[in-house]
Amino acid sequence: MSNNPKNLCNQSFTVLFDLDGTLLDTVGDFADAANRVMRSLGHPERTEAEVLAAIGNGIRRAIKTLLPGEPNDSEIETALGMFRDEYRKCYAVRTRPYPGVMELLRKVRGAGYKTAILSNKADEFTAGLTKKHFSGLIDAAAGERTGVPLKPAPGAVQSILSQVGGVPAQSLYVGDSEVDIETALNAGIPYIIVSWGFRDRESLLAAGADPDMIADSADTVFEMINAISAQHCVSAVNRESAANSESAANSVSTANSESAANNVRAANSKSAMNSVRAANSKSAMNSESEKYIANASAKTDTGNAQRSAPEKTLYISDLDGTLFNANAKLSKYTENEINRMIGQGMHFTIATARSPASAFQLVEPIRINAPIIMMNGVLVYDLNERRYVKVAYIDEAAALGVTEVMEHFGFDGFMYAMRGDELKTYYESLEAAPLRMFHDERARLYGKRFDKTGSFKHLIQSEGRVIYFTLRAKKDELLPVQEAMNKIGGIGAIICEDNYVPELCFLECFSSRASKREAVRYLREQGGYDHVVGFGDNLNDLPLFLECDESYAPSNAKDEVKAAATGIIGSNKDDGVARWLSQRYPPQPPQPPISSPL
């Protein structure tokens, strides 16, 4: 890669900026206009701290928050109209760029990056402030507009990227609030969050920001931008050169590993490279799964399934609620169709939250021809070689932290650990009915073995190699536990509804280095796949969608998953995955017998 800062990688990379609280300190003018409205309506004025807490999700929501009590729609619309008139008079009076911002933008432009502003501020004010302060430094700016969803919807990101010729795979988002974090996660891109704006570092951490992604100065932001761009460039170059070479594929697979990260870190700075690692790990993949909504651009008609597949495509399906029917089984139609298409050359595998004990038995009828992903990406298993080819372990300190959270909230659960090449499942108690139900069902249906232990902590300290924890209860009971676990360094915790017992949920806890997204990336690179298509129905499938080039949700999927998908297909009860795939791999007509010349 050239030492010239204005290199080709930079020129293909887009840096998106939030406006209020990131580039500009706008709270003074906003508060002045809002308080003039409050006085006119006979309401008490609001402090700047109250205004700060209200803004970030668009003007309408801010005004609704600032009005006392529970205002009705008519009251909100009246106050909103008055605010727009007042703000139009003063929106550029006290507003100023934050220290270092002008130099930051000049550096970013000088390095060759595309730049854009994406704000929830009304478009007329966004355009006016961009022209006043950043003329010549920003390629495009967009605020609240009719027909384009507000942040954190991914459509807002897609819209502004289309204006500058950018793509999500080569972009990042710089913001200052929880809305900006969610925007980046929904769009499937890395984020950088600044601590000088409307939220301080403590507030950002409480909102789930990865500490490695928080920047305290404009200089740090520029270092992080360079590092993230360099990492994307390394991955792109490696992928292109790796094509069908096994050794090259191995080098690609290490592009996101510690050794490759060290190479990029040397070219940039330690703090910036930590940001790259974070951008490819917990911050973009293992945050609370509810924060994911979409990685795809607009939904496409499922008729697109009929277009011819790329040269080497991998199809990956979730099991429960997706490939399996309502009885947690493969229908005969799905089994026969998947096997027929594999016989015609389709590359197919599965990505499930299930452990090997049940997954192996349930998918045995299918002639899967790629390694399978289990336990939400913690395990990747090669069926041909009969070995785990990728395992994500939880650090000892983090595993002990999980047990402390469980003790604090009075929860029992299951702990999974590797003993040699065998996966073991431990429990301390089965007094909780949801755990006992799970234990009895798995033991009865799949012969799964559970081992009782007196202490998770003792096993962690004496033997280590822990990979997973599972808790089972009602969602409202699990939410505070999930929040506490996600504050443990190196841990990702997600909640998924039980497909077969709707009133219960699973809280799955594993290494922040693991996800279905990371596992899919591993398969893509190891197998040299040009294109990956994913199918899923539950919240833990959202990371899967982030790495797929196409993603499809059955009609029974969660609303968040449907919003994330490229398209919606038939339900799991109607063999939706198999029927969709059959459009790409239609049955081949029988070949006529070769006649003998004699």
Side-chain angles (χ1 to χ4, degrees):
M1 196 177 301
S2 169
N3 291 324
N4 181 355
K6 194 168 184 176
N7 57 49
L8 291 177
C9 282
N10 290 3
Q11 293 175 31
S12 64
F13 201 86
T14 305
V15 183
L16 303 175
F17 292 95
D18 173 51
L19 187 62
D20 301 73
T22 302
L23 300 179
L24 294 177
D25 182 356
T26 59
V27 68
D29 289 334
F30 196 103
D32 288 346
N35 280 327
R36 283 197 290 272
V37 173
M38 296 300 152
R39 288 195 299 268
S40 296
L41 294 174
H43 300 316
E45 294 188 15
R46 297 291 191 171
T47 65
E48 288 197 1
E50 290 175 316
V51 173
L52 273 176
I55 58 181
N57 285 287
I59 294 178
R60 190 180 195 280
R61 185 174 295 185
I63 296 301
K64 178 182 179 181
T65 302
L66 294 173
L67 287 170
E70 295 291 333
N72 57 41
D73 288 344
S74 177
E75 292 170 332
I76 295 171
E77 291 303 322
T78 297
L80 181 60
M82 295 172 64
F83 174 83
R84 291 185 187 278
D85 291 339
E86 293 294 339
Y87 192 57
R88 195 171 287 113
K89 301 172 186 175
C90 70
Y91 77 95
V93 174
R94 298 170 57 190
T95 292
R96 296 287 185 274
Y98 286 102
V101 160
M102 298 305 297
E103 181 61 22
L104 167 63
L105 291 179
R106 282 191 282 266
K107 286 181 179 179
V108 170
R109 291 291 286 182
Y113 295 105
K114 300 174 185 175
T115 57
I117 287 174
L118 177 61
S119 174
N120 276 349
K121 182 186 287 293
D123 197 53
E124 63 171 304
F125 304 131
T126 300
L129 289 172
T130 300
K131 182 178 180 180
K132 175 180 173 64
H133 294 287
F134 309 126
S135 180
L137 296 175
I138 298 294
D139 293 315
E144 181 182 2
R145 293 157 292 157
T146 302
V148 178
L150 292 173
K151 299 183 300 180
V157 173
Q158 295 287 349
S159 177
I160 190 65
L161 284 177
S162 68
Q163 293 185 45
V164 296
V167 295
Q170 295 180 356
S171 63
L172 66 87
Y173 192 69
V174 183
D176 74 296
S177 73
E178 64 279 2
V179 175
D180 299 318
I181 296 171
E182 193 172 353
T183 299
L185 293 175
N186 290 346
I189 64 177
Y191 65 76
I192 298 169
I193 294 297
V194 304
S195 62
W196 61 68
F198 294 169
R199 307 288 188 268
D200 59 20
R201 176 176 280 270
E202 289 71 25
S203 299
L204 293 171
L205 290 172
D210 189 293
D212 289 328
M213 300 305 292
I214 301 176
D216 299 317
S217 71
D219 286 341
T220 301
V221 172
F222 186 62
E223 292 175 350
M224 294 165 75
I225 289 170
N226 282 336
I228 294 171
S229 173
Q231 178 70 4
H232 278 257
C233 189
V234 168
S235 299
V237 170
N238 281 342
R239 179 171 293 173
E240 182 176 352
S241 63
N244 296 308
S245 165
E246 180 178 359
S247 61
N250 288 334
S251 71
V252 175
S253 70
T254 60
N256 292 315
S257 69
E258 183 72 20
S259 60
N262 285 336
N263 293 333
V264 183
R265 185 187 297 111
N268 297 283
S269 70
K270 182 176 181 180
S271 63
M273 201 53 238
N274 285 338
S275 302
V276 173
R277 185 184 299 113
N280 289 310
S281 62
K282 181 173 70 174
S283 65
M285 286 163 277
N286 286 317
S287 299
E288 298 175 14
S289 60
E290 287 86 347
K291 289 187 177 179
Y292 290 95
I293 299 178
N295 177 49
S297 47
K299 292 180 184 176
T300 59
D301 190 280
T302 55
N304 286 341
Q306 297 179 2
R307 69 179 183 270
S308 60
E311 181 179 353
K312 191 171 185 182
T313 298
L314 177 63
Y315 297 92
I316 305 178
S317 179
D318 173 52
L319 291 181
D320 298 280
T322 305
L323 197 66
F324 287 169
N325 60 24
N327 297 318
K329 294 181 179 179
L330 290 167
S331 74
K332 204 62 183 176
Y333 173 85
T334 288
E335 175 187 333
N336 291 339
E337 278 296 283
I338 297 293
N339 282 332
R340 174 188 66 76
M341 290 181 277
I342 289 174
Q344 289 181 215
M346 179 178 71
H347 298 270
F348 183 84
T349 189
I350 56 105
T352 179
R354 285 182 178 262
S355 68
S358 60
F360 287 163
Q361 291 186 42
L362 291 168
V363 301
E364 186 178 10
I366 303 178
R367 296 191 292 273
I368 291 173
N369 54 2
I372 64 176
I373 298 167
M374 294 178 290
M375 303 185 80
N376 288 314
V378 172
L379 299 174
V380 180
Y381 187 85
D382 191 309
L383 291 166
N384 291 326
E385 298 182 8
R386 297 181 180 276
R387 68 183 183 93
Y388 296 101
V389 294
K390 190 174 186 293
V391 181
Y393 294 100
I394 300 175
D395 295 337
E396 180 178 315
L400 291 172
V402 171
T403 64
E404 291 172 1
V405 170
M406 292 169 64
E407 289 178 3
H408 175 76
F409 287 94
F411 267 91
D412 292 317
F414 298 105
M415 183 180 79
Y416 298 78
M418 298 298 294
R419 296 293 175 257
D421 294 329
E422 183 182 3
L423 177 63
K424 306 280 283 185
T425 306
Y426 297 97
Y427 66 93
E428 294 177 329
S429 170
L430 292 176
E431 290 185 11
L435 291 185
R436 189 167 60 253
M437 290 166 54
F438 180 84
H439 169 277
D440 294 348
E441 177 198 55
R442 291 297 197 263
R444 174 175 54 84
L445 293 178
Y446 313 114
K448 179 178 174 64
R449 177 180 173 182
F450 295 83
D451 294 303
K452 190 177 189 313
T453 181
S455 169
F456 286 163
K457 288 184 177 180
H458 175 74
L459 284 176
I460 294 168
Q461 293 169 329
S462 62
E463 301 187 46
R465 303 188 77 198
V466 175
I467 65 168
Y468 212 82
F469 292 86
T470 295
L471 283 65
R472 193 171 188 240
K474 294 180 179 179
K475 186 173 183 178
D476 59 351
E477 297 172 337
L478 293 174
L479 284 172
V481 185
Q482 178 197 29
E483 182 180 359
M485 286 185 176
N486 274 325
K487 292 179 180 178
I488 301 171
I491 287 297
I494 61 175
I495 292 177
C496 296
E497 292 184 16
D498 189 321
N499 280 297
Y500 310 107
V501 188
E503 65 271 19
L504 293 177
C505 290
F506 292 101
L507 173 56
E508 315 281 0
C509 180
F510 42 88
S511 168
S512 61
R513 297 184 297 273
S515 72
K516 286 188 178 183
R517 183 184 191 184
E518 275 296 292
V520 173
R521 180 178 292 152
Y522 175 84
L523 294 186
R524 182 199 291 271
E525 293 167 346
Q526 291 293 325
Y529 296 103
D530 306 301
H531 201 74
V532 179
V533 180
F535 305 89
D537 74 297
N538 214 329
L539 297 177
N540 64 327
D541 295 313
L542 292 167
L544 165 69
F545 284 11
L546 288 176
E547 182 60 23
C548 290
D549 301 288
E550 297 175 59
S551 53
Y552 295 92
S555 60
N556 57 281
K558 305 298 179 189
D559 289 341
E560 298 93 329
V561 182
K562 291 179 183 178
T566 307
I568 311 300
I569 62 175
S571 76
N572 66 321
K573 298 177 183 178
D574 298 322
D575 302 294
V577 172
R579 293 186 187 279
W580 186 92
L581 285 171
S582 67
Q583 297 179 65
R584 288 201 173 182
Y585 289 87
Q588 296 177 343
Q591 298 296 316
I594 301 175
S595 58
S596 171
L598 298 178

